[in-house]
Amino acid sequence: MPRPRRRLASTCIGTVTAGLLATGAALAAPEEDRPEGSDIAMGAYLDYGPPGVARIPHLSSWLGGKEIRVGHTYLPGDSWAGIEGRVSFLDDWAEWRQEEDDRLFVLNVPMQERNEGRVPDYQVARLIRAGAQGQYDRHFRELAERLVELGVPDTVIVLGWEMNGVTYTHRCAPDPENWKAYWRRIVTTMRAVPGQKFTFDFAPNRGTDAIGWTKCYPGDDVVDVIGMDSYDQGPGQDFDDQITQPYGLRHHVDFAKAHGKPVSYPEWGLFRRGDNPEYVRRMLKWIQQHKPLYHTITDYCPHGVWQCKDNPQSAKVFRDALTPERPGPVVPTPVVPTPVVPTPVVPTPVVPTPVVPTPQVPTPQVPTPQVPTPPVPTPQVPTPEVPVPTPVVPTPEATGPTPTPAPTPSPVAPSPPVPTPVTPTPVPSPVAPSPVAPSPVVPSPEVPLPVTPSPLVPTPEVPEPAPEPTPAVPTPQVPAPSPVTPAPVPSPAVPSPVTPSPVTPSPAVPKPEPTPPKPLPEPTPPPPVNSKQWCVPLNFGEWLSKLVGNQAVCIKLDFGKGSGIWPF
């Protein structure tokens, strides 16, 4: 490291170099227009404490709005308290780091107190051996716990930087083997703290210096990044010498590649040759070519380009190279109209497509079995206003022998034997009630009266389905008809008190009855003798009769004495 920087660092709480990584991705440039290496993080040391944090936005503005992703500072090495992280400015850097997820916090950590106290080599060797024996482990454990507590457990730790030089008390040359053992103890101790995600950066000076830095390399298992601090000074006369010299830039890149580690440049900048824009240009080109994890320029005089006004030419090169490219004004491309050539429309002949009839395949009809539903007759409650169909009846003045009317078949039950007249005075035939609708024949003593069917039966003739015959149930007694007024049909269940005249029974005509004989309805009181009321019992079937009881339709007939007028 250059001597002026060491003198400045010795006047404050440890040398603090704030390096800020910057993404090369231009904010205003499209993805395909980004310059080579623009994805590499870049930063600059501005101050070790809060002023360094506060200056980051201004540096970004000077670089045309370039985003600053990484903060870089140093712990003071004057006492173990500083190495343990008991300094207030860590809070500011931790807060800055937590504002964006893609930011990095890089922290240089000394390995010994009085780190810039010009301790002689024999004392350095004794301190190194004490560290290798574990005497200082507690200090680094406290530092790890402090960083985890602050919310920066992923800090990049540049431990014992520039160990191949002659300046710091943590230098390697007095005892390389114990130095490597000491490094390993520190890394092991810090990695044992719960919650840590530290990255350890091994960063020597460019060139041989006091010892070849590869002789201090502690091993791949305790190193994550291989860095290098490089300023514009000897050995070497130009940038090409810096590349090709022993332990130079080329050796650094090759060594890291051989060990499978990324490279970094925690410190770089101007120094012995003053304002040297060629060095800045070549260094930026080298960084773009080898793509380190991050790089930071030391931005104070004589090394810097922004805060140091002694290097205007180098500042211009630095700024032009890192300022994001702005898209130029968009020049609209003139639209040249393409002439539209109409395409002649050739009519396509329409060829009729023959219609092929689709054969109709009949769908087989699967008969659905019909489950007979027993008819439930609707009960009809007779009222006086029930209309009685008008029968075709001859006038009462008719004389002479009256032919015996043919018995009307009942649609349900067989009719009882119909009497055949023997003498001029016809005798009524006993009528048996039908279980559904009885159709009795009521003869008059002088004029036989044809009996009309029951109002519930629409027609007197019903097709006979050939069921089993049901024996006729004769009524034991039929009342004698009145000489003037035709007698009403007696109730089938109650015998008439008048003894009937002897009749000659007609042969019984069987009537179809689809159901077995039903019980006779309960007897009703017989009508009075010579009553003018004619009642016909109604049969609604067994089931409905139980619900509504025995019903009858009655018609009151009043002929009057000698009226000679039929009441209908």
Side-chain angles (χ1 to χ4, degrees):
M1 175 172 289
R3 189 172 300 274
R5 184 174 65 81
R6 292 199 302 272
R7 289 196 297 269
L8 288 174
S10 63
T11 61
C12 53
I13 305 177
T15 303
V16 181
T17 305
L20 302 175
L21 305 179
T23 60
L27 297 178
E31 183 74 20
E32 61 273 13
D33 295 333
R34 290 179 180 175
E36 181 183 1
S38 60
D39 56 337
I40 302 168
M42 183 281 310
Y45 170 72
L46 304 176
D47 189 87
Y48 69 90
V53 179
R55 291 168 187 169
I56 292 176
H58 302 287
L59 174 62
S60 176
S61 177
W62 182 72
L63 291 175
K66 191 175 187 64
E67 182 183 6
I68 305 302
R69 293 173 43 214
V70 179
H72 184 189
T73 191
Y74 298 75
L75 287 177
D78 57 336
S79 66
W80 283 114
I83 297 173
E84 291 171 357
R86 286 185 280 170
V87 288
S88 60
F89 63 82
L90 279 181
D91 297 337
D92 300 277
W93 286 106
E95 182 179 352
W96 177 86
R97 160 66 184 90
Q98 294 168 0
E99 290 177 356
E100 297 292 342
D101 292 338
D102 62 345
R103 289 178 177 175
L104 294 176
F105 177 47
V106 179
L107 180 66
N108 280 41
V109 178
M111 296 172 68
Q112 291 290 345
E113 63 177 349
R114 297 182 298 153
N115 197 38
E116 296 186 27
R118 297 184 179 276
V119 178
D121 284 352
Y122 74 92
Q123 292 185 9
V124 169
R126 181 173 56 83
L127 295 173
I128 289 173
R129 286 193 297 271
Q133 294 170 2
Q135 294 184 19
Y136 310 129
D137 289 355
R138 69 182 185 277
H139 303 300
F140 297 97
R141 183 180 302 107
E142 291 186 19
L143 172 61
E145 292 173 351
R146 168 80 166 141
L147 294 174
V148 172
E149 180 184 356
L150 288 173
V152 284
D154 56 351
T155 300
V156 178
I157 296 177
V158 185
L159 180 64
W161 70 99
E162 298 180 5
M163 77 294 297
N164 61 326
V166 297
T167 305
Y168 301 113
T169 306
H170 62 224
R171 59 187 182 269
C172 169
D175 192 344
E177 294 303 319
N178 279 315
W179 189 93
K180 290 187 286 186
Y182 185 26
W183 169 288
R184 298 181 66 87
R185 288 197 69 94
I186 294 173
V187 173
T188 302
T189 299
M190 296 187 69
R191 283 180 174 175
V193 173
Q196 67 81 31
K197 302 176 183 178
F198 302 127
T199 299
F200 291 92
D201 192 343
F202 174 82
N205 267 325
R206 174 181 54 82
T208 302
D209 212 337
I211 184 175
W213 52 263
T214 59
K215 297 177 182 180
C216 302
Y217 185 71
D220 292 343
D221 58 330
V222 289
V223 172
D224 300 304
V225 181
I226 299 177
M228 177 167 282
D229 291 351
S230 180
Y231 290 88
D232 185 24
Q233 63 176 355
Q237 298 299 317
D238 55 21
F239 193 81
D240 290 331
D241 290 341
Q242 296 178 17
I243 294 175
T244 60
Q245 66 188 215
Y247 303 101
L249 294 176
R250 173 60 64 187
H251 192 177
H252 168 239
V253 171
D254 293 342
F255 185 86
K257 184 177 181 181
H259 289 263
K261 306 295 181 180
V263 300
S264 70
Y265 298 98
E267 296 180 19
W268 70 276
L270 301 167
F271 190 28
R272 302 292 184 183
R273 299 181 177 94
D275 188 7
N276 186 357
E278 181 62 19
Y279 165 79
V280 174
R281 184 180 297 107
R282 293 290 300 276
M283 188 63 185
L284 290 176
K285 185 176 180 181
W286 179 266
I287 289 172
Q288 292 177 359
Q289 180 180 356
H290 296 285
K291 295 179 173 45
L293 178 65
Y294 67 94
H295 69 99
T296 56
I297 185 170
T298 303
D299 196 57
Y300 61 85
C301 289
H303 314 298
V305 290
W306 176 50
Q307 295 187 104
C308 182
K309 306 304 179 184
D310 296 341
N311 305 310
Q313 296 182 44
S314 298
K316 184 177 184 305
V317 171
F318 185 88
R319 187 180 185 185
D320 292 346
L322 297 177
T323 298
E325 295 182 2
R326 300 289 184 183
V330 179
V331 179
T333 304
V335 179
V336 179
T338 304
V340 180
V341 179
T343 303
V345 179
V346 179
T348 303
V350 179
V351 178
T353 303
V355 179
V356 179
T358 303
Q360 299 294 332
V361 179
T363 302
Q365 299 293 332
V366 179
T368 303
Q370 299 294 331
V371 179
T373 303
V376 180
T378 303
Q380 297 184 3
V381 180
T383 59
E385 288 79 18
V386 173
V388 179
T390 304
V392 180
V393 182
T395 59
E397 286 80 9
T399 60
T402 303
T404 302
T408 303
S410 173
V412 178
S415 300
V418 180
T420 304
V422 179
T423 61
T425 301
V427 180
S429 302
V431 180
S434 173
V436 179
S439 300
V441 178
V442 183
S444 175
E446 296 178 359
V447 181
L449 297 178
V451 180
T452 60
S454 172
L456 299 179
V457 181
T459 174
E461 297 183 0
V462 179
E464 301 178 358
E468 296 180 0
T470 303
V473 181
T475 303
Q477 293 180 355
V478 178
S482 173
V484 179
T485 304
V489 179
S491 173
V494 181
S496 177
V498 182
T499 303
S501 301
V503 294
T504 303
S506 299
V509 181
K511 297 298 179 178
E513 177 58 41
T515 59
K518 297 178 176 56
L520 296 177
E522 298 179 0
T524 58
V529 183
N530 297 329
S531 173
K532 298 179 182 180
Q533 190 176 26
W534 179 34
C535 295
V536 180
L538 299 178
N539 192 331
F540 299 102
E542 179 183 2
W543 178 80
L544 193 57
S545 296
K546 292 181 180 180
L547 296 178
V548 300
N550 296 320
Q551 303 293 335
V553 177
C554 297
I555 302 173
K556 187 175 182 180
L557 303 177
D558 187 6
F559 298 99
K561 292 184 178 182
S563 63
I565 300 174
W566 188 252
F568 300 103

